[in-house]
Structures are given as C-alpha cells and as structure tokens.
Amino acid sequence: DIVMTQTPLSLSVTPGQPASISCKSSQSLLHSEGRTYLYWYVQRPGQPPQLLIYEVSNRFSGVPDRFSGSGSGTDFTLKISRVEAEDVGIYYCMQSKHLPTFGQGTKVEIK
Amino acid sequence: QVQLVESGGGVVQPGRSLRLSCAASGFTFSRNAMHWVRQAPGKGLEWVAVISCDGNNKYYADSMKGRFTVSRDNSKNTVFLQMNNLTVEDTAVYYCARGMGCYSWAFDYWGQGNQVTVSS
C-alpha cells in the first residue's frame, strides 16, 4: 500500500492569513500515462467529505480560488491563501495511483 | 445535481451480516465507478471497495477482502455493499462516493453516510 503522511496534524489560523498543509507519499504518484493521482478533500464539521483538488492542482467545481494545490512525485501541498471561518474542518490528501489510501488528516481551526 | 443516498445501516451483533444500499441520481449512473469509504468514530477515512461502471471489476481493501462484497444494479441506479461476519472494528459511518470515471479509483461526490454499529 502507498502510505500518505500529512503535516501538520493540526493548524490554528487567524482569519485572512494563509495556511499550508503538506502531504508526502511513500512512492511516486506519477502514473506511466503522465497523470499524478493526488487529491485533497475537506470534511467540515458534521458533513461528509468534499473534493477540493484533483490530480494535484485542479480545483473541483465550485471550489473557491483561495484553495490551490501543488507538488509532484511524492511531495504535495495544499494552500489556502486567506483562511475564512468556513474553512474549518479536517483536510485529507488521498492517492489513487493504486487502491486509494488517505493521509491521517489535518485539523484546521480558526484562532 | 448529483445525489447519493445510503441506507441499510443500523445496529448488528458481531458475526452477523448487513447490506448497505446507495441510491444515485442526477447523473448517468452506468458511466461511473462507485466506491465505499468508511470512517470509524473519531478516526480518519478508510477506503473500502470499488466497483467499475459495468460491474465487471471489483476491488477491496485487504481488511475487507472475503467478508465484503460490492455489487450494483444499473437499472435501479443503486450500488450495494454486503458485509458478512461483522466485527466491532467494522463500526463506522459508511459513505458511498461516485468515481470520477468508469474505472476511476478517485471519487468526487459523496453521500451523507450511514451508521453501522457492531455490538453485542
């Protein structure tokens, strides 16, 4: 299995300030077909997870542009340019190069 | 819009079985793989199983292999998860999620989830 490791596991951010979450995979997520299968989801309190970013850097439908994803190979980052109150939740990275596996989750709270 | 509604959860004794259903609407069901993902109380997300759009390909997480069976009925826009020989470690909220293509191992839309509690 591909192991996904997120850091930090928790983050307290002042509204309007940026936030960044790192995700590292135990092997490269670059597929032979040229695509990199790294995804970001957020689970807001009491809600099911929602897709934010697919294939490293593509924002899903309706996702605000303050969310961005970057990275390659085994190292990936989710950035929130200016955190808002509604961004509270747990953020998960996930790989689907092989059978899906998730990171442990990063809890984002507002200061 | 895409809607996924799970049902069939509840409280069951260890060793017993349960069958979850997920009714889909708002998209052409037969074009998308369907996944099951679970979340134990206070824990993170754990992928369970996937079935391809045509039902011909099925994959399972190692800990569920041999106990869980995923199936689908494209005429009824429904995916199922048959869970046998349940243990207390299977207690979780079970989500169905839509694959991002016929054979995709990633998913975009999720249902609201269905609680399964295994307890004597």
Side-chain angles (χ1 to χ4, degrees):
Chain A
D1 289 3
I2 297 178
V3 177
M4 307 297 288
T5 303
Q6 290 181 230
T7 54
L9 297 183
S10 66
L11 203 49
S12 183
V13 188
T14 301
Q17 293 300 302
S20 180
I21 300 170
S22 171
C23 175
K24 296 183 188 296
S25 56
S26 60
Q27 57 181 272
S28 175
L29 301 185
L30 175 62
H31 195 276
S32 56
E33 65 189 28
R35 297 161 77 168
T36 301
Y37 292 110
L38 186 282
Y39 301 77
W40 290 97
Y41 297 87
V42 61
Q43 187 173 28
R44 297 186 171 92
Q47 296 295 315
Q50 295 177 281
L51 177 63
L52 286 174
I53 302 286
Y54 64 95
E55 294 180 21
V56 180
S57 59
N58 299 285
R59 274 187 302 276
F60 189 56
S61 174
V63 174
D65 61 8
R66 65 178 182 275
F67 291 93
S68 64
S70 63
S72 63
T74 61
D75 289 351
F76 304 94
T77 302
L78 175 71
K79 291 183 179 176
I80 310 173
S81 59
R82 295 173 305 280
V83 170
E84 298 186 5
E86 67 182 30
D87 299 334
V88 165
I90 303 176
Y91 291 75
Y92 295 92
C93 62
M94 186 200 81
Q95 66 78 26
S96 69
K97 182 182 180 184
H98 299 305
L99 295 182
T101 50
F102 292 92
Q104 316 97 300
T106 296
K107 186 174 185 178
V108 172
E109 60 178 20
I110 300 297
K111 279 185 184 173
Chain B
Q1 73 279 23
V2 173
Q3 285 199 334
L4 301 169
V5 180
E6 301 96 338
S7 61
V11 180
V12 63
Q13 293 178 326
R16 303 299 290 264
S17 299
L18 209 56
R19 189 196 198 202
L20 302 182
S21 301
C22 170
S25 60
F27 64 102
T28 305
F29 184 71
S30 60
R31 293 183 182 173
N32 293 80
M34 294 297 296
H35 293 255
W36 289 95
V37 179
R38 72 182 185 181
Q39 187 170 36
K43 302 295 185 183
L45 301 170
E46 181 183 24
W47 177 80
V48 172
V50 60
I51 183 168
S52 60
C53 64
D54 52 15
N56 289 336
N57 299 90
K58 305 174 187 181
Y59 298 91
Y60 302 91
D62 284 347
S63 59
M64 290 78 165
K65 216 176 288 185
R67 298 191 302 125
F68 289 13
T69 302
V70 62
S71 60
R72 65 190 294 159
D73 184 341
N74 283 352
S75 69
K76 296 182 178 177
N77 291 356
T78 303
V79 62
F80 305 97
L81 185 68
Q82 176 68 41
M83 304 183 292
N84 297 332
N85 194 20
L86 285 162
T87 73
V88 294
E89 287 73 33
D90 295 316
T91 294
V93 174
Y94 285 73
Y95 297 98
C96 67
R98 187 182 80 161
M100 296 182 74
C102 183
Y103 299 101
S104 175
W105 286 356
F107 24 92
D108 47 17
Y109 293 95
W110 299 58
Q112 287 296 312
N114 202 202
Q115 177 70 49
V116 171
T117 302
V118 185
S119 173
S120 54

